Amino acid sequence: MDSKLVIFDGNAIMHRAFHAIPPLTTKDGEAINALYGLVSILINIVENLKPTHIIFCFDEKEPTFRNKLLPTYQSQRPETDHNLILQFQKARDFLESVNIPVYSKSGFEADDVIGTIVTRYAELKIKNLKFKIDEAIVVTGDRDILQLVDDSKNIKLFMPIGGLANGKIFAEKETVERLGVMPAQIPDYKALVGDPSDNYFGINGIGPKTASALLSKYKTLIGIYEHMKDIPEKLKAKLISGKESAYLSYKLATIVRDVPIKLDIKSSDKWNLVSENVLKLFEQYGFKTLTARIKALGERIEKEKQGLLF
């Protein structure tokens, strides 16, 4: 059986679940809908993608290096709902109960930690013949992470589509279909068009169509500026006036791949979704439906293991 590493963007999944699922509470009145969604997605992924290794990544509450580069970075976003904030510790408690490792780092976003993990995964595949993980898939609702997709290294992205139950795998082909550029060009693309959801704006007057055309011809932001003599005057003027903003936007858009974290990918295969600790937590939270799903999943996994013996 092929080995498969699945990395979850915990914050993206929790936010998506919190807003997609109607309010749910424990018997003590504590909000629990985001955790319910996270567990539900985890079960779906285990059932459908059959990972051998699982890792979760989260943001930390401290500002990141991007806030230092641009103090107004993400400043237009509403404050995170208090009922969601309270569920992040519950999510970590659940992940500890199923022995799934969690990684995060102050000063960086979960995206950067994920970028570091998939980079280490790719390096281990090249350097260590005993490293047997064949594929890495990132589960997120954040399109920024598409820049990590790499067919040559077998790195893909799974993004929920139209809710929590369904999703789509993105390789390079699907990424180009979605954004019009190759995964590695996404920071260059966002350097030109910006990202209003993160509150940076690229170059005024350059939209997706123009950005895609420029990158199709000149490949990178640096390549565009190296060929200014070949660019029509009106567009050249926009590029000149927006150069500083473009390079700042590029830094903000680029996922860091060398976050200083102590990482042990090999040990991420020790997870167990069916244990007494999990069942006790679910009873405490009132997760009757998820309890039944977890038990059924455990039985199926055990049967599959037994089948491999014959």
Side-chain angles (χ1 to χ4, degrees), residues 296-310:
L297 176 61
E299 291 174 1
R300 197 181 97 184
I301 290 174
E302 190 58 35
K303 286 181 181 178
E304 289 176 353
K305 287 180 179 177
Q306 292 298 321
L308 292 173
L309 299 177
F310 300 98

Side-chain angles (χ1 to χ4, degrees), residues 50 72 118 173 190 255 308:
K50 300 187 183 336
T72 56
V118 299
K173 176 177 176 289
K190 296 184 80 171
I255 291 176
L308 292 173

Side-chain angles (χ1 to χ4, degrees), residues 15-35:
H15 276 272
R16 191 180 188 95
F18 182 77
H19 295 289
I21 297 174
L24 295 174
T25 58
T26 66
K27 58 187 177 182
D28 298 324
E30 297 176 335
I32 206 72
N33 59 332
L35 176 59

Side-chain angles (χ1 to χ4, degrees), residues 35-297:
L35 176 59
Y36 186 98
L38 179 144
V39 176
S40 183
I41 287 178
L42 174 59
I43 294 172
N44 285 342
I45 292 298
V46 171
E47 287 176 335
N48 296 305
L49 298 186
K50 300 187 183 336
T52 53
H53 299 66
I54 301 176
I55 289 173
F56 267 76
C57 298
F58 286 95
D59 293 336
E60 291 285 352
K61 60 183 178 180
E62 292 82 8
T64 72
F65 75 94
R66 292 181 178 87
N67 299 104
K68 295 177 182 179
L69 286 172
L70 181 66
T72 56
Y73 178 74
Q74 296 184 344
S75 63
Q76 87 293 356
R77 293 188 179 185
E79 289 189 16
T80 304
D81 192 293
H82 180 67
N83 285 322
L84 173 56
I85 292 172
L86 293 176
Q87 295 184 60
F88 280 102
Q89 185 56 53
K90 288 183 173 65
R92 287 177 179 257
D93 291 342
F94 162 72
L95 293 168
E96 182 178 357
S97 76
V98 296
N99 206 28
I100 292 176
V102 172
Y103 292 96
S104 61
K105 184 69 175 179
S106 294
F108 297 90
E109 296 179 27
D111 296 15
D112 303 309
V113 179
I114 293 169
T116 299
I117 293 171
V118 299
T119 299
R120 301 263 186 93
Y121 147 81
E123 290 172 349
L124 282 169
K125 282 189 70 173
I126 294 171
K127 296 178 181 178
N128 188 349
L129 295 177
K130 294 181 179 180
F131 184 74
K132 297 299 184 182
I133 300 177
D134 304 292
E135 179 180 20
I137 299 177
V138 180
V139 179
T140 183
D142 184 354
R143 292 189 305 172
D144 291 351
I145 298 182
L146 284 167
Q147 67 186 265
L148 300 178
V149 168
D150 189 328
D151 286 359
S152 68
K153 297 172 182 174
N154 222 2
I155 300 170
K156 300 181 178 69
L157 185 144
F158 178 93
M159 189 178 295
I161 301 293
L164 297 174
N166 302 310
K168 179 178 179 179
I169 293 285
F170 285 79
E172 290 180 2
K173 176 177 176 289
E174 290 77 15
T175 301
V176 173
E177 290 172 352
R178 181 72 176 264
L179 294 179
V181 295
M182 289 290 288
Q185 293 177 305
I186 289 175
D188 304 273
Y189 174 80
K190 296 184 80 171
L192 297 170
V193 304
D195 187 342
S197 69
D198 284 335
N199 209 35
Y200 62 88
F201 301 99
I203 297 178
N204 186 38
I206 293 185
K209 187 175 180 180
T210 301
S212 295
L214 285 169
L215 291 172
S216 176
K217 189 170 185 179
Y218 302 115
K219 307 307 179 188
T220 65
L221 183 68
I222 291 174
I224 292 168
Y225 280 103
E226 286 177 343
H227 291 84
M228 291 289 279
K229 66 181 189 310
D230 302 322
I231 293 174
E233 289 301 321
K234 189 174 180 181
L235 179 54
K236 184 191 295 184
K238 293 177 182 178
L239 288 165
I240 292 171
S241 64
K243 185 174 183 178
E244 184 177 346
S245 176
Y247 276 96
L248 173 60
S249 297
Y250 180 85
K251 290 179 181 178
L252 295 169
T254 301
I255 291 176
V256 175
R257 300 180 186 230
D258 58 355
V259 174
I261 55 173
K262 190 175 181 180
L263 179 62
D264 183 5
I265 295 176
K266 294 179 183 178
S267 68
S268 62
D269 64 346
K270 305 294 191 297
W271 55 274
N272 177 16
L273 297 188
V274 187
S275 69
E276 286 302 316
N277 289 337
V278 177
L279 297 178
K280 285 178 183 176
L281 271 181
F282 281 14
E283 183 179 359
Q284 176 185 334
Y285 296 151
F287 286 170
K288 294 180 180 179
T289 301
L290 291 181
T291 297
R293 288 183 65 192
I294 282 280
K295 288 181 176 178
L297 176 61

